[in-house]
């Protein structure tokens, strides 16, 4: 029942996508994590029934798009706060059930082909969007026919677009507009993380 979120953050061309996905024989965070996850699932198979679904989206120019389909409208982020509700979720986002590390990586590889990329002076294949891979894990006891013991966890694995300076990237036109949106959203993310880690004015610990 625990949720987690991991960001790859840094300047454009610094290796965020490589860190998350790896290349060739060099495994990144996502394949390493998925291998461990499905090993744990296999070891727990006699006691727990565990399902995993995968979704991949991008945030491009402040629009949320589903990377699991060929074309996607701007999706809406909603909050379902009812008892047993979905919590914060993206309405209409495609979720694919996966049964192995290979299936997760195949799902991500197909999604990455639809991700917005562009060439700048600092990176020939610069990511122009933030990519969010979400693994939703549901677990309950094998003998629990009513799912009374069901717990659901979400793990968000985020490859952020790189921060950049116009002078260094030589960006013009659409690349320049994209860079401005990227920097704006990264600044907003920094403000959110700051607010979450600041001490409250009442001095009762962190908010």
């Amino acid at each position: 029942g625990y949720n987690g979120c991991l960001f790859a953050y840094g300047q454009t061309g610094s290796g965020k996508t490589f860190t998350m996905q790896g290349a060739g024989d060099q495994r990144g965070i996502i394949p390493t994590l998925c291998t461990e996850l499905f090993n744990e699932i296999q070891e727990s198979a006699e006691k727990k029934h565990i399902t995993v679904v995968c979704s991949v989206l991008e945030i491009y120019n402040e629009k949320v798009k589903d990377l699991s389909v060929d074309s996607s409208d701007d999706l809406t982020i909603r909050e379902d706060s009812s008892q047993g509700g979905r919590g914060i979720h993206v309405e209409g986002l495609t979720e694919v059930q996966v049964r192995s590390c290979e299936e997760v990586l195949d799902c991500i590889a197909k999604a990455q082909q639809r991700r917005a990329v562009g060439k700048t002076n600092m990176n020939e294949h610069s990511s122009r969007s933030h990519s969010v891979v979400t693994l939703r894990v549901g677990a309950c006891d094998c003998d629990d026919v009513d799912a009374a013991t069901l717990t659901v966890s979400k793990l968000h694995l985020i490859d952020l677009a790189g921060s950049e300076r116009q002078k260094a990237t030589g960006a013009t036109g659409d690349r320049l507009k994209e860079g401005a949106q990227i920097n704006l959203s990264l600044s907003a993310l920094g403000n959110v993380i700051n607010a979450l880690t600041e001490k409250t004015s009442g001095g009762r610990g962190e908010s």
Side-chain angles (χ1 to χ4, degrees), residues 90-112:
V90 178
E91 188 172 336
L93 181 65
T94 303
E95 290 187 322
V96 179
Q97 185 165 354
V98 286
R99 297 174 178 82
S100 68
C101 177
E102 289 72 25
E103 288 188 13
V104 175
L105 298 183
D106 182 60
C107 182
I108 294 172
K110 290 177 180 177
Q112 289 298 322

Side-chain angles (χ1 to χ4, degrees), residues 78-163:
R78 299 194 182 279
E79 182 175 6
D80 178 6
S81 56
S82 61
Q83 184 72 26
R86 298 179 62 189
I88 297 174
H89 64 280
V90 178
E91 188 172 336
L93 181 65
T94 303
E95 290 187 322
V96 179
Q97 185 165 354
V98 286
R99 297 174 178 82
S100 68
C101 177
E102 289 72 25
E103 288 188 13
V104 175
L105 298 183
D106 182 60
C107 182
I108 294 172
K110 290 177 180 177
Q112 289 298 322
Q113 294 175 5
R114 303 182 180 97
R115 188 177 178 187
V117 297
K119 182 177 180 179
T120 73
N121 288 350
M122 293 186 68
N123 189 351
E124 187 174 353
H125 302 286
S126 174
S127 300
R128 313 308 292 167
S129 67
H130 310 300
S131 169
V132 183
V133 175
T134 299
L135 300 177
R136 182 165 59 83
V137 184
C140 64
D141 295 343
C142 286
D143 57 357
D144 180 8
V145 293
D146 297 321
T149 60
L150 177 66
T151 58
V152 178
S153 308
K154 287 183 180 180
L155 180 59
H156 303 285
L157 304 165
I158 303 173
D159 178 12
L160 294 167
S163 60

Side-chain angles (χ1 to χ4, degrees), residues 4-151:
C5 186
L6 177 65
F7 292 99
Y9 179 99
Q11 182 176 283
T12 185
S14 60
K16 297 178 298 299
T17 300
F18 175 76
T19 298
M20 296 300 283
Q21 298 182 21
D25 294 333
Q26 296 178 295
R27 292 166 62 82
I29 289 172
I30 292 177
T32 302
L33 181 148
C34 288
T35 298
E36 292 292 329
L37 172 63
F38 285 99
N39 283 345
E40 289 286 337
I41 290 174
Q42 190 171 11
E43 290 177 6
S44 304
E46 292 184 3
K47 296 180 180 179
K48 294 282 186 179
H49 175 65
I50 302 174
T51 58
V52 182
V53 295
C54 177
S55 62
V56 189
L57 63 81
E58 73 171 356
I59 303 172
Y60 175 68
N61 284 342
E62 302 305 302
K63 293 183 178 180
V64 179
K65 296 193 173 185
D66 187 349
L67 291 182
S68 296
V69 295
D70 287 328
S71 60
S72 169
D73 296 326
D74 183 15
L75 301 180
T76 303
I77 300 173
R78 299 194 182 279
E79 182 175 6
D80 178 6
S81 56
S82 61
Q83 184 72 26
R86 298 179 62 189
I88 297 174
H89 64 280
V90 178
E91 188 172 336
L93 181 65
T94 303
E95 290 187 322
V96 179
Q97 185 165 354
V98 286
R99 297 174 178 82
S100 68
C101 177
E102 289 72 25
E103 288 188 13
V104 175
L105 298 183
D106 182 60
C107 182
I108 294 172
K110 290 177 180 177
Q112 289 298 322
Q113 294 175 5
R114 303 182 180 97
R115 188 177 178 187
V117 297
K119 182 177 180 179
T120 73
N121 288 350
M122 293 186 68
N123 189 351
E124 187 174 353
H125 302 286
S126 174
S127 300
R128 313 308 292 167
S129 67
H130 310 300
S131 169
V132 183
V133 175
T134 299
L135 300 177
R136 182 165 59 83
V137 184
C140 64
D141 295 343
C142 286
D143 57 357
D144 180 8
V145 293
D146 297 321
T149 60
L150 177 66
T151 58

Side-chain angles (χ1 to χ4, degrees), residues 194-207:
N194 247 351
L196 290 172
T197 56
E198 281 181 355
K199 290 186 177 180
T200 60
S201 58
R204 292 176 296 188
E206 296 180 352
S207 60

